[in-house]
Amino acid sequence: MKLLEDRIRTDGTVKSESVLKVDAFLNHQMDVKLFMAMAEEWQRLFAGKQIDKILTIEASGIGIAAIAASVFDVPVVFAKKSQSINLDGTVYCTRIQSFTHGKVFDVIVSKKFIGEGEHVLLIDDFMANGCAMNGLIEVCEHAGAVVEGIGIAIEKGFQHGGDSLRERGYDLQSLAIVESMDPETGEIVFR
Amino acid sequence: MKLLEDRIRTDGTVKSESVLKVDAFLNHQMDVKLFMAMAEEWQRLFAGKQIDKILTIEASGIGIAAIAASVFDVPVVFAKKSQSINLDGTVYCTRIQSFTHGKVFDVIVSKKFIGEGEHVLLIDDFMANGCAMNGLIEVCEHAGAVVEGIGIAIEKGFQHGGDSLRERGYDLQSLAIVESMDPETGEIVFR
């Protein structure tokens, strides 16, 4: 998606060969007009598919997924990173290794909100090694829900989480795929 | 706001005299159509005010704030609960005592995204003792930004965080204020 690639070139910063900072518009300050355009692009890419619900993961996926849910006209559920006293014991739980935070954490989704036979679209801001999406896929499998597609804003193509999901047959639509980055020059090559 | 009060009565659960569970539509599964109506109500309540930016706090404020930002046509920033390797050292930091999680955590906002003289609307899903909003107010004070208003979905009136902010002169608009709850009967009294 040219609009997103242009924005990454303009307002993103290459911090290292593997770290791209896009906190000016994607995952700290959020440009919801851009999110609206991204959601409309996913609507085009997933046209003809039945989508009953959007599933994302806290925290930086929530804004994009909420705007996408308003465009797809469906509810959105976000997987929670830690047990809150406000959650029942009746949850799906999975462990996720975070690239950004460099640690493992538990993720939970209440069984009430992902049902058998529901058609789910997974949405997130970034994909690196794919661990977060694999966790959400696991939750959907436990629930007997159908993963209709996966919408990612920025995929790090060089970390192969996305390629692995495509090989497994998932309809993964990343709006920008970074093939390589040069922290010296700031140059970003998109697939 | 009658729409929200009705929804709380229909889909909320009184877990104790102080805990109201609204995870079916507000802070786990999210009804973005309801969020749109809430955002339009805040637009009416804060009409005539200059709003340059919305500030919220992860995680459950983000969905509501993102939809509100699309209605107010401004960017939205969410305060982050822990230091990520993707954030610079140049951040505003404040400590917040969470009622829901029963613990103290650090919250950071990059200095790049809250500027001097900016007019900010604070948005969150819940207000209990007001600690989260006090933390965000502190961030705005450090930045020299103006807190134009505070929009809360559900205020627990019996915990007085909201009354204290009103006494200090803040324009706080809670769309539903719970005065009391009865876990035996499930009855909820709104202010």
Side-chain angles (χ1 to χ4, degrees):
Chain A
M1 187 189 185
K2 191 173 180 305
L3 182 72
L4 180 59
E5 290 181 358
D6 288 347
R7 188 63 177 273
I8 294 166
R9 285 212 169 92
T10 312
D11 291 333
T13 310
V14 180
K15 303 296 281 185
S16 74
E17 280 181 7
S18 64
V19 176
L20 174 66
K21 194 164 170 169
V22 287
D23 62 353
F25 59 95
L26 199 75
N27 51 19
H28 185 18
Q29 179 164 255
M30 305 188 292
D31 179 346
V32 291
K33 264 188 204 168
L34 173 67
F35 290 8
M36 197 67 78
M38 287 161 49
E40 283 162 3
E41 179 66 3
W42 279 319
Q43 201 175 34
R44 192 184 67 78
L45 292 165
F46 294 115
K49 294 212 163 186
Q50 181 185 337
I51 308 290
D52 302 321
K53 196 166 278 186
I54 288 175
L55 177 62
T56 188
I57 184 167
E58 77 167 72
S60 47
I62 299 175
I64 300 170
I67 297 293
S70 78
V71 168
F72 280 82
D73 198 18
V74 295
V76 51
V77 174
F78 65 91
K80 298 193 168 202
K81 277 186 183 165
S82 65
Q83 187 94 27
S84 150
I85 58 164
N86 272 18
L87 278 164
D88 285 332
T90 52
V91 297
Y92 297 111
C93 187
T94 185
R95 310 210 86 183
I96 289 177
Q97 165 91 41
S98 166
F99 173 77
T100 315
H101 299 273
K103 60 183 179 188
V104 175
F105 50 87
D106 287 318
V107 155
I108 52 175
V109 177
S110 171
K111 291 182 179 174
K112 289 181 295 183
F113 305 133
I114 296 289
E116 193 173 342
E118 270 192 316
H119 294 248
V120 177
L121 174 62
L122 308 182
I123 294 277
D124 208 2
D125 60 333
F126 259 100
M127 175 170 290
N129 51 28
C131 285
M133 287 308 100
N134 280 313
L136 296 189
I137 288 168
E138 201 182 296
V139 164
C140 289
E141 281 171 355
H142 284 311
V146 181
V147 177
E148 279 290 346
I150 304 171
I152 298 291
I154 305 176
E155 176 182 336
K156 293 176 180 173
F158 53 90
Q159 284 183 315
H160 306 299
D163 293 331
S164 158
L165 284 164
R166 286 185 193 92
E167 277 163 28
R168 285 164 61 198
Y170 288 101
D171 184 3
L172 166 61
Q173 301 290 349
S174 301
L175 302 183
I177 304 179
V178 176
E179 208 56 271
S180 66
M181 303 186 287
D182 187 333
E184 300 287 313
T185 63
E187 201 199 354
I188 301 166
V189 178
F190 293 102
R191 188 179 294 180
Chain B
M1 187 190 185
K2 189 169 181 308
L3 184 71
L4 181 59
E5 290 181 358
D6 288 349
R7 189 62 178 273
I8 294 167
R9 285 211 169 92
T10 312
D11 292 333
T13 311
V14 180
K15 303 295 281 186
S16 74
E17 280 180 8
S18 63
V19 176
L20 174 67
K21 194 163 171 170
V22 287
D23 62 352
F25 58 95
L26 199 76
N27 51 18
H28 185 19
Q29 179 164 254
M30 305 189 291
D31 179 347
V32 292
K33 264 190 205 167
L34 173 67
F35 290 8
M36 196 67 79
M38 288 162 50
E40 283 163 1
E41 179 67 1
W42 280 318
Q43 201 175 34
R44 192 183 67 78
L45 293 165
F46 295 115
K49 295 212 164 186
Q50 181 186 336
I51 307 290
D52 302 322
K53 197 166 277 186
I54 288 174
L55 178 63
T56 187
I57 184 166
E58 75 168 75
S60 46
I62 299 175
I64 300 171
I67 297 294
S70 78
V71 168
F72 280 82
D73 197 17
V74 296
V76 52
V77 175
F78 66 91
K80 298 192 167 202
K81 277 186 183 164
S82 65
Q83 187 94 27
S84 151
I85 57 164
N86 271 16
L87 278 163
D88 285 333
T90 53
V91 296
Y92 297 112
C93 187
T94 186
R95 310 210 86 183
I96 290 177
Q97 165 89 43
S98 165
F99 172 76
T100 314
H101 298 275
K103 60 183 176 186
V104 175
F105 51 86
D106 288 318
V107 156
I108 53 174
V109 178
S110 171
K111 291 183 179 174
K112 290 181 295 183
F113 305 134
I114 296 289
E116 195 174 340
E118 269 192 317
H119 294 249
V120 176
L121 174 63
L122 308 182
I123 294 278
D124 208 2
D125 58 333
F126 259 99
M127 175 171 289
N129 51 27
C131 286
M133 287 307 100
N134 280 312
L136 296 189
I137 288 169
E138 202 182 294
V139 165
C140 289
E141 281 171 354
H142 284 311
V146 181
V147 177
E148 279 290 345
I150 305 170
I152 297 290
I154 305 175
E155 176 183 336
K156 293 176 181 175
F158 53 89
Q159 284 183 315
H160 306 299
D163 293 331
S164 158
L165 284 165
R166 286 186 193 92
E167 276 162 28
R168 288 165 59 197
Y170 288 102
D171 184 4
L172 167 61
Q173 301 289 349
S174 301
L175 302 182
I177 304 179
V178 176
E179 209 55 273
S180 66
M181 303 186 287
D182 187 332
E184 299 289 311
T185 63
E187 201 199 355
I188 301 167
V189 178
F190 292 102
R191 188 180 294 180

